[in-house]
């Protein structure tokens, strides 16, 4: 288990809001962390563990750039307090592959399903979950269940094509 002591930032951890100590299981690895009780899962991943795949977009849960999986279900990490996820299996885009690209990552590359790439990790995590949930049966389903992930560049058609490709090929896009 890796131990990580968070550095205090201005305005963090006061006697009224003490630090908490939690063990988070991320991408199959356990991390013992100590941080302010208000730290979001996104900030714990990015600032305390250096896992920068999940992006900080709107910081309000509206864009999906910070999407990660918790126990196989997608969540927006910017709205989740890290301390609430002790003992749960957290998967980030960094944890999708074991040396080889995940089928969904390959499909995104094949279909040019990214422009600037900022939303891509969140889109991929949502797409992996969507496929695993069995909700990628129709174009309308894909549109509906991916609607929480925004792409400022407008690569939606290519994102949907990548998802359809994985589903139609019968690739196992689960974890």
């Amino acid at each position: 288990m890796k131990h990580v002591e968070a550095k205090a930032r201005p305005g963090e951890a006061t006697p009224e809001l003490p630090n908490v100590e939690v063990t988070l299981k991320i991408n199959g690895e356990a991390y013992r962390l100590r941080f302010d009780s208000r730290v979001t899962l996104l900030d714990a991943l990015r600032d305390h563990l250096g896992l920068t795949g999940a992006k900080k977009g709107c910081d309000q849960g509206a864009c999906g750039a910070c999407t990660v999986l918790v126990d196989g279900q997608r969540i927006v990490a910017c709205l989740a307090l890290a301390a609430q996820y002790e003992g749960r299996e957290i998967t980030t885009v960094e944890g999708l592959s074991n040396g080889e690209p995940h089928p969904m990552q390959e499909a995104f590359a094949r279909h040019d399903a990214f422009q600037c790439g900022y939303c891509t990790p969140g889109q991929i995590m949502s797409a992996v979950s969507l496929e695993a949930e069995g909700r990628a049966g129709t174009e309308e389903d894909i549109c509906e269940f991916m609607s929480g992930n925004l792409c400022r560049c407008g690569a939606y058609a290519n994102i949907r094509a990548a998802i359809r490709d994985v589903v139609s090929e019968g690739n196992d896009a689960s974890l």
Side-chain angles (χ1 to χ4, degrees):
M1 180 179 333
K2 297 180 180 179
H3 292 274
V4 180
E5 182 72 31
K7 295 178 182 141
R9 290 183 276 187
E12 283 192 354
T14 66
E16 298 84 35
L17 293 165
N19 282 334
V20 294
E21 196 167 305
V22 297
T23 300
L24 297 178
K25 188 174 179 190
I26 303 165
N27 301 329
E29 180 91 30
Y31 296 89
R32 189 77 181 148
L33 297 151
R34 184 174 175 82
F35 46 66
D36 182 297
S37 60
R38 299 168 293 174
V39 168
T40 65
L41 182 56
L42 178 61
D43 288 339
L45 294 170
R46 292 182 60 79
D47 299 341
H48 301 296
L49 295 173
L51 296 170
T52 57
K55 303 297 186 231
K56 188 174 275 204
C58 67
D59 217 14
Q60 297 176 357
C63 73
C66 64
T67 302
V68 299
L69 304 181
V70 176
D71 298 332
Q73 301 295 310
R74 55 191 153 163
I75 67 162
V76 286
C78 70
L79 295 182
L81 293 176
Q84 294 178 297
Y85 292 91
E86 182 162 31
R88 308 215 18 221
E89 181 61 46
I90 300 163
T91 306
T92 67
V93 72
E94 292 94 341
L96 281 184
S97 61
N98 293 325
E100 295 293 320
H102 185 276
M104 194 65 74
Q105 291 170 314
E106 290 178 336
F108 268 61
R110 217 175 19 259
H111 289 276
D112 194 25
F114 47 86
Q115 296 285 315
C116 75
Y118 195 81
C119 72
T120 304
Q123 296 277 1
I124 288 172
M125 295 307 289
S126 238
V128 166
S129 181
L130 173 74
E131 195 275 334
E133 293 165 3
R135 296 182 174 183
T138 67
E139 186 77 10
E140 293 78 23
D141 288 342
I142 294 170
C143 287
E144 174 69 24
F145 293 109
M146 289 295 290
S147 65
N149 291 81
L150 303 180
C151 174
R152 291 180 62 186
C153 302
Y156 296 114
N158 297 11
I159 291 167
R160 289 191 306 272
I163 296 168
R164 282 192 315 272
D165 188 14
V166 171
V167 172
S168 69
E169 287 182 4
N171 284 327
D172 183 10
S174 61
L175 299 175

